[in-house]
Amino acid sequence: MKTLQDFNFEDKKALIRVDFNVPLDDHLKVTDTSRIEAAKDTILKVLEDGGSTVLMSHLGRPKGKRNQAMSLKHICDSVSDIIGVQVKFVDDCIGEKVKKAYAELQSGEVLLLENLRFYNEEEEGDSAFAKQLSKFGDIYINDAFGTAHRAHASTTIVANYFPENKCFGYLLAKEIKAIEKVMQTGEKPVTAILGGAKVSSKITIIENILDKVDHIIIGGGMTYTFIKAMGGKVGDSICEDDKMDLAMDILKKAKQKGVQIHLPVDVLAADAFDNNANTKVVPVENIPDGWQGLDAGPDTLKLFKEVILKSKTILWNGPVGVFEMESFAKGTIAIGNFIDEATKNGAFSLVGGGDSVAAVKQFGFENKVSYVSTGGGAMLESLEGKTLPGIAAIMD
Ligand code: AMP
């Protein structure tokens, strides 16, 4: 498989699938440019070699219809500022206008195409549409991890038209390496910290990582299904009664495989799902009726700290409390601090999947962990052990 470094882009045009699905405010100004910044190195590699780039992305969910509020023209200035080159924009992603702009594209130039999802064919993975896109590059680069779990025309199908000339961009390569480090090559002990609301959404991840990790820390709303299954009283805490058998099965399998599961021992319980509710610390297996566990308790955090600090590879997915409310964010902040400390001591730490990144950004842990994944769903599917179509298409 070729990497970006294997190509010299001198006088070549690179068709790059980027993830420029950025948030816009009411005035259609970009409010968070991280996804554009994340694609910068790949774009600059092509330009510095003496090539040119055609950038394609989706923005929002226009559902196959033109929608000016979701036009990529709104992000041109931000891309130009970040790349340092005045970006050219064409208000379509296939057809005559694009053909003309492509023919006129000179080395050192960047052409941004209009939102791919103005066509239903993009999400349908339509081959004819992908073939038309493929005309706009000598080499195809996929650097959009956020959509790598979708077999869309621009993320997967288009790669078929570049049998030799395709590769991952730097960002996608970094994501793959980070996942490999946790799942295959990471130094032991490897610890996964799994939080979030429901067991049901994490079952496949837990089953997949049982063969790969030494410790699993379980926190957040998931806790109570395990505790109730083991005979505890969880009061009004979130609990999936129909998943209790599954929870017991996980505990059994973990034991067989020699994986240590660490569950909370105490929780911060509240008498309402409200930031201003009355709270008290109670044993996790004895939460009174009318009370619900909304954050990890102090003894739990001590226990989790010990495990985290002796880990050499750490995966963090999901908050250990309702971090959106200040009263129940302390546990999640503490976990971030323990991971920070472990990372400073030399551990490799990866945060990703679903809401974890939001929590990490909110509390400023972004630069304290080794790697923050840019793809919510794509990271979750990777952790579930699935082969992502966008990745497979480059490796084929
Ligand atoms: P997920 O997307 O599965 O990672 O879940 C994230 C959500 O889990 C966040 O919105 C948290 O507020 C929620 N959460 C974490 N702990 C609890 C809890 N003890 N009770 C209810 N919700 C929780």
Side-chain angles (χ1 to χ4, degrees), residues 195-198 201-202 220-221 224 238 273 293-295 317-324 354-356:
K198 292 182 170 176
S201 63
K202 303 284 160 97
Y224 308 101
I238 185 172
F273 191 80
L294 294 184
D295 200 4
N317 171 267
V320 298
V322 185
F323 74 97
E324 297 93 337
D355 263 358
S356 323

